[in-house]
Coordinates of all heavy atoms in Angstrom, one line a residue:
Q9 N 5.8 17.1 1.4 CA 5.5 16.7 0.0 C 4.2 17.4 -0.5 O 4.1 17.8 -1.6 CB 5.4 15.2 -0.1 CG 6.7 14.5 0.1 CD 6.6 13.0 0.2 OE1 5.5 12.5 0.7 NE2 7.6 12.2 -0.2
K10 N 3.2 17.5 0.4 CA 2.0 18.1 0.1 C 2.2 19.6 -0.2 O 1.6 20.2 -1.2 CB 0.9 18.0 1.2 CG 0.4 16.6 1.3 CD -0.9 16.5 2.2 CE -0.5 16.6 3.6 NZ -1.7 16.4 4.5
L11 N 3.0 20.2 0.6 CA 3.3 21.7 0.4 C 4.0 21.9 -1.0 O 3.6 22.8 -1.7 CB 4.3 22.2 1.5 CG 3.7 22.4 2.8 CD1 4.7 22.7 3.9 CD2 2.6 23.5 2.8
S12 N 4.9 21.1 -1.3 CA 5.6 21.2 -2.6 C 4.7 21.0 -3.8 O 4.7 21.7 -4.8 CB 6.8 20.2 -2.7 OG 7.8 20.5 -1.6
H13 N 3.9 19.9 -3.7 CA 3.0 19.6 -4.7 C 1.9 20.6 -5.0 O 1.5 20.9 -6.1 CB 2.3 18.2 -4.5 CG 1.3 17.8 -5.5 ND1 1.7 17.3 -6.7 CD2 0.0 17.7 -5.4 CE1 0.6 17.0 -7.4 NE2 -0.4 17.2 -6.7
M14 N 1.4 21.2 -3.9 CA 0.2 22.1 -4.0 C 0.7 23.6 -4.1 O -0.2 24.5 -4.2 CB -0.7 21.9 -2.7 CG -1.2 20.5 -2.6 SD -2.1 20.2 -1.0 CE -3.6 21.2 -1.3
Y15 N 2.0 23.8 -4.0 CA 2.5 25.2 -4.0 C 2.0 26.0 -5.1 O 1.6 27.2 -5.0 CB 4.0 25.2 -3.9 CG 4.7 26.5 -3.6 CD1 4.9 26.8 -2.2 CD2 5.0 27.4 -4.6 CE1 5.5 28.0 -1.9 CE2 5.6 28.6 -4.2 CZ 5.8 28.9 -2.9 OH 6.4 30.1 -2.6
P16 N 2.0 25.5 -6.4 CA 1.6 26.3 -7.5 C 0.1 26.8 -7.4 O -0.3 27.8 -8.1 CB 1.8 25.4 -8.7 CG 2.8 24.4 -8.3 CD 2.5 24.2 -6.8
Q17 N -0.7 26.0 -6.7 CA -2.1 26.3 -6.6 C -2.4 27.4 -5.5 O -3.5 27.8 -5.3 CB -2.9 25.1 -6.3 CG -2.7 23.9 -7.2 CD -3.2 22.6 -6.7 OE1 -4.2 22.6 -5.9 NE2 -2.5 21.5 -7.0
M18 N -1.4 27.7 -4.7 CA -1.6 28.6 -3.5 C -1.7 30.0 -3.9 O -1.0 30.5 -4.9 CB -0.5 28.3 -2.5 CG -0.4 27.0 -1.9 SD 1.0 26.8 -0.8 CE 0.9 25.1 -0.4
S19 N -2.4 30.8 -3.1 CA -2.4 32.2 -3.2 C -1.1 32.8 -2.6 O -0.4 32.0 -2.0 CB -3.6 32.8 -2.4 OG -3.4 32.6 -1.0
P20 N -0.8 34.0 -2.9 CA 0.5 34.6 -2.4 C 0.6 34.5 -0.9 O 1.7 34.2 -0.3 CB 0.4 36.1 -2.8 CG -0.4 36.0 -4.1 CD -1.4 34.9 -3.9
S21 N -0.5 34.7 -0.1 CA -0.4 34.6 1.3 C -0.2 33.1 1.8 O 0.5 32.9 2.7 CB -1.7 35.1 2.0 OG -2.9 34.4 1.5
Q22 N -0.8 32.2 1.1 CA -0.6 30.8 1.4 C 0.8 30.4 1.1 O 1.4 29.6 1.8 CB -1.6 29.9 0.6 CG -3.0 30.0 1.1 CD -4.0 29.2 0.2 OE1 -3.8 29.1 -1.0 NE2 -5.0 28.7 0.8
Q23 N 1.4 30.9 0.0 CA 2.8 30.6 -0.4 C 3.7 31.1 0.7 O 4.8 30.5 1.0 CB 3.1 31.1 -1.8 CG 2.4 30.4 -2.9 CD 2.8 30.9 -4.3 OE1 3.3 32.1 -4.4 NE2 2.5 30.2 -5.3
A24 N 3.4 32.3 1.3 CA 4.2 32.9 2.3 C 4.3 31.9 3.5 O 5.3 31.7 4.1 CB 3.6 34.2 2.7
I25 N 3.1 31.3 3.9 CA 3.1 30.4 5.0 C 3.9 29.1 4.6 O 4.7 28.6 5.4 CB 1.7 30.0 5.4 CG1 0.9 31.2 5.7 CG2 1.7 29.0 6.5 CD1 -0.6 30.9 5.9
A26 N 3.7 28.6 3.4 CA 4.4 27.5 2.9 C 5.9 27.7 2.9 O 6.7 26.8 3.3 CB 4.0 27.1 1.5
D27 N 6.3 28.9 2.6 CA 7.8 29.3 2.6 C 8.4 29.2 4.0 O 9.5 28.7 4.1 CB 8.0 30.7 2.0 CG 7.7 30.8 0.5 OD1 7.8 29.7 -0.2 OD2 7.5 31.9 0.0
V28 N 7.6 29.6 5.0 CA 8.1 29.6 6.3 C 8.3 28.1 6.8 O 9.4 27.8 7.3 CB 7.1 30.2 7.3 CG1 7.4 29.9 8.8 CG2 7.0 31.7 7.1
I29 N 7.4 27.3 6.4 CA 7.5 25.8 6.8 C 8.6 25.2 6.0 O 9.4 24.4 6.6 CB 6.2 25.1 6.6 CG1 5.1 25.7 7.4 CG2 6.3 23.6 6.8 CD1 3.7 25.2 7.2
L30 N 8.7 25.4 4.7 CA 9.7 24.7 3.9 C 11.1 25.2 4.3 O 12.0 24.4 4.2 CB 9.4 24.9 2.4 CG 8.1 24.3 1.9 CD1 7.8 24.8 0.5 CD2 8.3 22.7 1.9
R31 N 11.2 26.4 4.7 CA 12.5 27.0 5.0 C 13.0 26.4 6.3 O 14.2 26.1 6.5 CB 12.4 28.5 5.1 CG 13.7 29.2 5.4 CD 13.6 30.7 5.2 NE 12.6 31.3 6.0 CZ 11.5 31.9 5.6 NH1 11.2 31.9 4.3 NH2 10.6 32.4 6.5
D32 N 12.1 26.2 7.3 CA 12.6 25.8 8.6 C 11.5 24.9 9.3 O 10.8 25.4 10.2 CB 12.9 27.0 9.5 CG 13.6 26.6 10.8 OD1 13.8 25.4 11.0 OD2 13.9 27.5 11.6
P33 N 11.3 23.7 8.8 CA 10.2 22.8 9.3 C 10.4 22.5 10.8 O 9.5 22.4 11.5 CB 10.3 21.6 8.5 CG 11.7 21.6 7.9 CD 12.0 23.0 7.7
E34 N 11.7 22.4 11.2 CA 12.0 22.0 12.6 C 11.4 23.1 13.6 O 10.9 22.7 14.7 CB 13.5 21.9 12.9 CG 14.0 20.5 12.4 CD 14.2 20.5 10.9 OE1 14.2 21.6 10.2 OE2 14.4 19.4 10.3
S35 N 11.6 24.4 13.3 CA 11.0 25.4 14.2 C 9.5 25.6 14.0 O 8.8 25.7 14.9 CB 11.8 26.7 13.9 OG 13.1 26.6 14.2
S36 N 9.1 25.6 12.7 CA 7.7 25.9 12.4 C 6.8 24.9 12.9 O 5.6 25.1 13.2 CB 7.5 26.1 10.9 OG 7.8 24.9 10.2
A37 N 7.3 23.7 13.2 CA 6.5 22.6 13.7 C 5.9 22.9 15.1 O 4.9 22.4 15.5 CB 7.3 21.3 13.7
F38 N 6.6 23.9 15.8 CA 6.2 24.2 17.2 C 5.7 25.6 17.3 O 5.6 26.1 18.5 CB 7.4 23.9 18.1 CG 7.9 22.4 18.0 CD1 8.9 22.1 17.1 CD2 7.2 21.4 18.6 CE1 9.3 20.7 17.0 CE2 7.5 20.1 18.5 CZ 8.6 19.8 17.7
Y39 N 5.4 26.3 16.2 CA 4.8 27.6 16.3 C 3.3 27.4 16.7 O 2.7 26.4 16.3 CB 4.9 28.3 15.0 CG 6.2 28.8 14.5 CD1 6.6 28.9 13.2 CD2 7.2 29.2 15.5 CE1 7.8 29.4 12.8 CE2 8.4 29.6 15.1 CZ 8.7 29.7 13.7 OH 10.0 30.2 13.3
N40 N 2.8 28.4 17.4 CA 1.3 28.4 17.5 C 0.8 29.3 16.4 O 1.6 29.8 15.5 CB 0.9 29.0 18.9 CG 1.5 30.4 19.2 OD1 1.6 31.2 18.2 ND2 1.8 30.6 20.4
V41 N -0.5 29.5 16.3 CA -1.1 30.2 15.2 C -0.5 31.6 15.1 O -0.2 32.1 14.0 CB -2.6 30.2 15.3 CG1 -3.2 31.1 14.3 CG2 -3.2 28.8 15.2
A42 N -0.4 32.3 16.2 CA 0.0 33.7 16.2 C 1.5 33.8 15.7 O 1.8 34.7 14.9 CB -0.1 34.3 17.6
E43 N 2.3 32.8 16.2 CA 3.7 32.8 15.8 C 3.9 32.6 14.3 O 4.7 33.2 13.6 CB 4.5 31.8 16.6 CG 4.6 32.2 18.1 CD 5.1 31.1 18.9 OE1 4.9 29.9 18.6 OE2 5.7 31.4 20.0
M44 N 3.1 31.6 13.8 CA 3.1 31.3 12.3 C 2.7 32.5 11.5 O 3.3 32.8 10.5 CB 2.3 30.1 12.0 CG 2.3 29.6 10.6 SD 3.9 28.9 10.1 CE 3.7 27.3 10.8
A45 N 1.6 33.1 11.9 CA 1.1 34.3 11.2 C 2.1 35.4 11.2 O 2.3 36.1 10.2 CB -0.2 34.8 11.9
K46 N 2.8 35.6 12.3 CA 3.8 36.7 12.4 C 5.0 36.4 11.5 O 5.5 37.3 10.7 CB 4.3 36.8 13.8 CG 5.3 37.9 14.0 CD 5.8 38.0 15.5 CE 6.9 39.0 15.6 NZ 7.3 39.1 17.1
E47 N 5.4 35.1 11.4 CA 6.6 34.7 10.6 C 6.2 34.9 9.1 O 7.1 35.3 8.3 CB 7.0 33.3 10.9 CG 7.6 33.0 12.2 CD 9.0 33.7 12.3 OE1 9.7 33.7 11.3 OE2 9.3 34.2 13.4
A48 N 5.0 34.6 8.7 CA 4.6 34.7 7.3 C 4.0 36.0 7.0 O 3.7 36.3 5.8 CB 3.5 33.6 7.0

Side-chain angles (χ1 to χ4, degrees):
Q9 290 171 331
K10 286 193 286 186
L11 285 172
S12 299
H13 177 72
M14 300 173 71
Y15 194 89
Q17 309 165 30
M18 296 179 187
S19 67
S21 59
Q22 289 176 327
Q23 288 180 344
I25 301 169
D27 288 340
V28 170
I29 297 172
L30 291 169
R31 182 169 60 247
D32 189 0
E34 282 76 16
S35 296
S36 61
F38 302 98
Y39 289 152
N40 58 33
V41 173
E43 290 167 335
M44 182 70 78
K46 181 179 179 181
E47 289 293 323

